[in-house]
Amino acid sequence: MTVRDVAKLLEAEVLSGEDKLDIEVKHGGAADMMSDILALCGPNQLVLTGYIHPQVIRTALVTELLGLVFVRCKNIPPETIKMARQHNILMLQTRLFMFSSCGILYAAGLRGVDER
Amino acid sequence: MSDRNDLSKYAGLFEDIRAADIMTANVTVIPPEKKISHAKEMMNIKRISGLPVVDETRHLIGIVTVEDIIHALEFNRLGEPIRNMMTRDVITVGVNDRLTDIVSKFQAYRFGRFPVVDADNVLRGIISRKDILNGVLEKFNLIYVHDQKRISTLNSEFSFITGERLTVGDAEFHYNIDTTDIGSAGVGAVMLKTFLADKRYPAEIIRRIGVAVYEAETNVIIHSRGTGDIYCFLQGDLIMVRVVDNGIGIEDMDMAMKEGYSTAPDYVRELGFGAGMGIPNIKRFVDKLVILSEKNVGTQVEMILYLPIEASAPATPGTLTKN
Ligand SMILES: Nc1ncnc2c1ncn2[C@@H]1O[C@H](COP(=O)(O)OP(=O)(O)O)[C@@H](O)[C@H]1O
Ligand SMILES: [Mg+2]
């Protein structure tokens, strides 16, 4: 599916990386700890997270993720969004919870990073 | 730095180390009736410079060295049995020899390795400079963590840790870690990635270094309570990164190596760190890792990544810019 499909399925808002909407995405993960993202996720993957601190953007950068989906629509700090835009990292935001977000994307064909 | 690397002041600690404790027990050997060409092949494949020759009962009767092979080549004797060309008066180390004696043997003879034999001259192992180093590091809790690829030369390896050849002034990349700004965690890792990308290193290598350095850099910021630096050395077929700090040191190295062990305070979890996966992650992403730490002196994380063969081949234009 494309990033645009992901955004549609999760009724998500695109906060950064609008130019990436047509990119094809095959694998995704969900994590709140930076070390988990670093260890388990990699290039061209989408990571769902509830962790909104700007540090997550740097983690995405180091890991070369395609982008991040922030679940449960918390108050994302402006620094996080600013940093994502600065480095052109895709950033989506959905009001759905983690569990439902993962389930919806999986049902639609997105696979886990462990299923590569 | 140089203080920390001065092993001699710890000499007393090593008295009880015996050859048997640090030798490599799994030795490649060859019987005397095989041809020299066979020995040459084996040494080539296994990348070793000396091959012990043993009889059926594993008694050591000689050693074939690179010199013997060169000699055989020169006189066209590769087809002859090893018995005819091997060195018979082998300098050996006894299984119960002490570390100090072993070290003096290395100094006296300048061989790369010595066969280790028991009282009946039966071969029990082999000992190289690297085995000594590992034994020493283990002893004073400076942990030699793991080694996935034992392919680099012994001498350069020895110097990585003693700092003999790698002085930080020679580093191609240097970043001073701002330990007062928690939000800067990872800035050095990202800069190093950019630096390596500019030099056209393989993307996969850069990614692995990025992750490992990010974890080490973060540790300096959240745990060390000191100041720190990241250095990167480019050495043709490998990349070496050293993340060093002058902080409190790692109290319990064995625990720090374990997944899930963390002494991180709560505010660190707000950063998304403190899951106790940092050092295990570093280990996972590098080919070789050496962590030296002393209480209230600091911590030094050295990591090495080997380049894939194609990328390090000097003849390949444009793949790698060295220095
Ligand atoms: N540079 C350092 N200085 C002091 N202690 C450290 C350093 N790096 C790691 N440690 C210790 O090792 C432990 C494990 O580190 P790590 O695996 O990265 O987990 P975490 O950072 O999540 O605690 C840390 O909790 C800390 O006690
Ligand atoms: Mg850590």
Side-chain angles (χ1 to χ4, degrees), chain A residues 33-35 38 55, chain B residues 214-215 218 222 268-269 271-275:
Chain A
M33 296 305 284
M34 296 306 98
S35 290
L38 289 166
Q55 196 65 40
Chain B
Y214 186 16
E215 292 281 12
T218 306
I222 64 185
V268 161
R269 300 225 164 72
L271 259 184
F273 283 96

Side-chain angles (χ1 to χ4, degrees), chain B residues 86-128:
Chain B
M86 68 187 185
T87 306
R88 282 170 194 277
D89 44 351
V90 191
I91 312 289
T92 58
V93 161
V95 270
N96 285 321
D97 284 6
R98 287 174 194 280
L99 185 68
T100 42
D101 304 325
I102 304 168
V103 170
S104 4
K105 236 169 211 171
F106 272 106
Q107 276 161 353
Y109 292 99
R110 304 241 140 248
F111 294 143
R113 63 202 69 217
F114 294 101
V116 181
V117 293
D118 63 17
D120 299 322
N121 203 38
V122 170
L123 183 73
R124 301 287 298 276
I126 196 151
I127 211 161
S128 65

Side-chain angles (χ1 to χ4, degrees), chain B residues 219-220 222-224 245 248-250 256 261-264 273-280 299:
Chain B
N219 280 352
V220 172
I222 64 185
H223 299 298
S224 81
D245 68 64
I248 57 170
I250 299 178
Y261 173 82
S262 176
T263 60
F273 283 96
M277 290 301 297
I279 296 176
T299 301

Side-chain angles (χ1 to χ4, degrees), chain A residues 32-36 38-39 41-43 51 53 55 58-59 61-64, chain B residues 183 185-187 193 207 210-211 214-215 270-273 275 277 281 284-285:
Chain A
D32 286 346
M33 296 305 284
M34 296 306 98
S35 290
D36 286 341
L38 289 166
C41 306
Y51 181 74
H53 189 283
Q55 196 65 40
R58 195 160 292 124
T59 303
L61 207 57
V62 170
T63 323
E64 298 170 20
Chain B
V187 169
K193 286 188 70 165
R207 213 179 73 77
V211 171
Y214 186 16
E215 292 281 12
E270 273 164 42
L271 259 184
F273 283 96
M277 290 301 297
N281 264 2
R284 186 170 304 142
F285 280 89

Side-chain angles (χ1 to χ4, degrees), chain A residues 34-110:
Chain A
M34 296 306 98
S35 290
D36 286 341
I37 299 181
L38 289 166
L40 307 174
C41 306
N44 308 319
Q45 296 169 2
L46 208 55
V47 170
L48 283 66
T49 184
Y51 181 74
I52 55 179
H53 189 283
Q55 196 65 40
V56 74
I57 303 298
R58 195 160 292 124
T59 303
L61 207 57
V62 170
T63 323
E64 298 170 20
L65 299 181
L66 171 60
L68 297 157
V69 180
F70 293 85
V71 297
R72 251 179 88 192
C73 225
K74 288 170 227 164
N75 292 325
I76 300 178
E79 304 93 87
T80 305
I81 302 176
K82 192 174 145 213
M83 208 162 135
R85 289 194 178 142
Q86 194 181 326
H87 297 285
N88 196 27
I89 287 188
L90 173 75
M91 185 168 165
L92 305 180
Q93 174 180 254
T94 173
R95 62 177 171 77
L96 298 176
F97 289 8
M98 180 67 96
F99 185 82
S100 337
S101 303
C102 293
I104 289 169
L105 294 180
Y106 198 92
L110 193 72

